[in-house]
Amino acid sequence: MLPRLEVANEGLPLPTPNASGDELFRLGLLYSTGQGGAPLDYVSAHMLFNLAAMRGSVEAKVYRKELAGEMASEEVAEAQRQAREWLAHA
């Protein structure tokens, strides 16, 4: 369960356990730009890019690295924690 994403915007679909790297990447883009009904949320975006990279998205690795440069180390740690939590429930 991803409480952060549920609270952020109920109108966006939550990633399913079988979401592809491309699907996770596209959702991360929405959160990283605050578009498509998603709030601007770097922690959620980083988490999604991390998961997308784990599922083979090369683009997600690039975006994750760029985004991490804009974030505080505590925010990156929180995004990583959320990714681990998502994986544990997937």
Side-chain angles (χ1 to χ4, degrees):
M1 176 105 51
L2 294 173
R4 172 174 273 284
L5 290 179
E6 288 176 15
V7 171
N9 189 306
E10 294 179 17
L12 287 180
L14 293 175
T16 61
N18 61 348
S20 71
D22 288 339
E23 291 169 325
L24 292 163
F25 173 71
R26 284 192 295 273
L27 192 54
L29 279 178
L30 295 178
Y31 279 95
S32 70
T33 59
Q35 296 180 348
L40 183 62
D41 183 345
Y42 285 173
V43 172
S44 292
H46 188 285
M47 177 201 72
L48 289 161
F49 290 149
N50 196 27
L51 294 169
M54 292 174 65
R55 296 214 171 158
S57 173
V58 175
E59 289 177 300
K61 292 178 184 180
V62 174
Y63 278 74
R64 178 185 62 194
K65 183 177 180 179
E66 289 180 14
L67 191 59
E70 307 273 327
M71 299 168 66
S73 59
E74 297 82 19
E75 292 174 315
V76 173
E78 175 61 18
Q80 292 169 338
R81 185 196 65 74
Q82 288 183 20
R84 285 190 301 272
E85 184 177 319
W86 187 84
L87 287 169
H89 293 92

